[in-house]
Amino acid sequence: MGEISSFQLGVIGALFLSVASSVSIVICNKALMSNLGFPFATTLTSWHLMVTYCTLHVAHRLNLFESKPIDTKTVVLFGMLNGISIGFLNLSLGFNSVGFYQMTKLAIIPFTVMLETIFLNKQFSSRIRLSLFLLLVGVGIASVTDLQLNLMGTVLSLLAIMTTCVGQILTNTIQKRLSVSSTQLLYQSAPFQAAILFVSGPFLDQCLTNKNVFAYKYSPVVLAFIILSCLISVSVNFSTFLVIGKTSPVTYQVLGHLKTCLVLGFGYTLLHDPFTERNLIGILIAIGGMGLYSYFCTQESKKKQGDLCLGSSQIKDKETAALLAGVYGDKESHEVKKSSKDSVV
């Protein structure tokens, strides 16, 4: 019971850290890009990952965690896949309307459920599927405004969905099958994610914004916000791997939509963004879906733990019965031998 409660506390801590850091970095980046005119999102992400790796490297040198070697091919492919998924998401935003981009993010949950069902034989109950449906409907009402389709944008969105889903499923699978922690996996893969985005970032940003990141005039305020964004990103990247490893890719996506609702709320209260009744209704439906998802997951988790405890107790009962049968069998055989000896005498 102590291990279960400590695990639950770890999950709650990871979820809280993920929400707090993600909402913080969204507000920081929104101020950086919208108010200060720094539009280079992909290049900024590469800086995030480089700072994350450097921070983890210092932590490793200080013996705050132990590095565990992972197969080089696995780490390189995993890091490149995550870097490519970030690039595709940014391209999807650049070539599509904001509404279609939000639809792309919403499609990640059902696509992840489909992949885990087909390839990992994971079962999702009808109650879980219903709660996810309510969540997606709510977020869709709150955030999707316009849907403008084009061929290039649709293809990029599909690639973004596929690479993001596979990357998040692998984040969970690698941690569990190779018995590595979220910190160890992030430390090993961050350099490869940073490298692919550092090389491709300036080119992608120039295609999307028609501006050169190296020709941009960096004011002290912009530099301060970039540094703040990079520092917050360490917590974001760490909590992302932590949440996916401790829960599941689907739960992480549900958490992501909670962040969307919080960002809409903070945008209205702090940045005075426009807010309508539609946004409010959508957020309430989404929160209801999240609450049901959390409740059903908790109930199913308790049921599984109860089944495990029952199974282990039944195994112990069988072992005890077998042991007693062996003891009494030896005793009876000993008495038979003794009586046979007495009859011979």
Side-chain angles (χ1 to χ4, degrees):
M1 290 298 293
E3 292 180 358
I4 293 173
S5 60
S6 63
F7 175 78
Q8 290 174 341
L9 286 174
V11 171
I12 293 171
L15 295 175
F16 177 79
L17 178 63
S18 179
V19 171
S21 58
S22 296
V23 173
S24 299
I25 202 169
V26 167
I27 294 173
C28 178
N29 288 348
K30 189 168 185 179
L32 179 62
M33 295 178 185
S34 300
N35 300 340
L36 299 176
F38 184 85
F40 310 107
T42 310
T43 303
L44 180 63
T45 305
S46 71
W47 297 344
H48 287 170
L49 288 163
M50 282 190 284
V51 171
T52 298
Y53 173 72
C54 292
T55 304
L56 290 177
H57 187 67
V58 171
H60 175 55
R61 288 288 186 181
L62 295 174
N63 295 321
L64 296 179
F65 73 95
E66 183 180 350
S67 177
K68 186 173 182 178
I70 307 174
D71 177 60
T72 305
K73 184 179 178 180
T74 301
V75 172
V76 172
L77 292 176
F78 172 74
M80 291 180 65
L81 177 64
N82 278 326
I84 290 170
S85 72
I86 295 171
F88 278 136
L89 282 171
N90 289 339
L91 285 172
S92 173
L93 178 59
F95 280 86
N96 291 304
S97 64
V98 175
F100 192 81
Y101 175 72
Q102 288 295 337
M103 288 295 294
T104 299
K105 293 174 69 176
L106 291 176
I108 292 175
I109 283 184
F111 199 83
T112 302
V113 170
M114 183 185 73
L115 288 180
E116 289 195 307
T117 302
I118 294 173
F119 295 103
L120 300 179
N121 295 320
K122 188 172 181 179
Q123 300 299 319
F124 294 87
S125 67
S126 57
R127 299 190 303 173
I128 294 291
R129 292 197 295 268
L130 174 62
S131 63
L132 291 174
F133 176 75
L134 287 176
L135 165 67
L136 296 178
V137 169
V139 176
I141 292 173
S143 61
V144 177
T145 53
D146 58 327
L147 288 175
Q148 299 176 10
L149 302 179
N150 64 81
L151 180 61
M152 178 61 73
T154 303
V155 171
L156 289 171
S157 292
L158 290 173
L159 291 173
I161 291 168
M162 288 188 289
T163 53
T164 301
C165 291
V166 173
Q168 291 180 359
I169 291 172
L170 286 176
T171 302
N172 179 272
T173 305
I174 290 174
Q175 289 186 57
K176 290 183 176 177
R177 293 191 177 178
L178 300 184
S179 299
V180 295
S181 68
S182 55
T183 310
Q184 292 167 335
L185 181 58
L186 180 60
Y187 179 60
Q188 296 283 344
S189 62
F192 302 103
Q193 295 182 57
I196 193 167
L197 290 175
F198 186 76
V199 172
S200 62
F203 172 74
L204 292 178
D205 288 334
Q206 189 158 13
C207 289
L208 295 173
T209 64
N210 293 321
K211 296 179 181 179
N212 190 337
V213 66
F214 301 109
Y216 183 82
K217 294 182 180 179
Y218 294 87
S219 67
V221 177
V222 170
L223 287 174
F225 269 89
I226 289 174
I227 292 171
L228 178 61
S229 179
C230 289
L231 292 176
I232 299 173
S233 73
V234 177
S235 178
V236 173
N237 291 324
F238 172 73
S239 62
T240 296
F241 278 60
L242 188 63
V243 169
I244 295 176
K246 284 186 172 293
T247 58
S248 69
V250 174
T251 299
Y252 175 73
Q253 285 299 322
V254 171
L255 192 68
H257 292 306
L258 171 61
K259 299 169 194 172
T260 300
C261 295
L262 291 175
V263 167
L264 287 173
F266 280 118
Y268 172 71
T269 54
L270 299 180
L271 305 176
H272 305 291
D273 290 342
F275 200 78
T276 64
E277 290 182 359
R278 173 179 170 173
N279 297 131
L280 180 61
I281 292 171
I283 288 174
L284 291 176
I285 295 174
I287 291 174
M290 291 174 206
L292 288 174
Y293 177 80
S294 177
Y295 175 75
F296 292 149
C297 284
T298 303
Q299 293 298 313
E300 292 184 8
S301 177
K302 287 181 179 178
K303 185 179 178 182
K304 287 180 182 177
Q305 289 171 5
D307 292 341
L308 287 174
C309 292
L310 181 62
S312 61
S313 64
Q314 288 177 346
I315 291 173
K316 287 181 179 179
D317 290 342
K318 289 180 181 179
E319 290 177 348
T320 304
L323 181 61
L324 291 173
V327 170
Y328 283 118
D330 291 341
K331 188 176 180 181
E332 288 176 359
S333 63
H334 177 70
E335 289 177 351
V336 169
K337 287 180 181 178
K338 186 177 179 181
S339 61
S340 62
K341 284 182 179 179
D342 292 340
S343 63
V344 169
V345 173

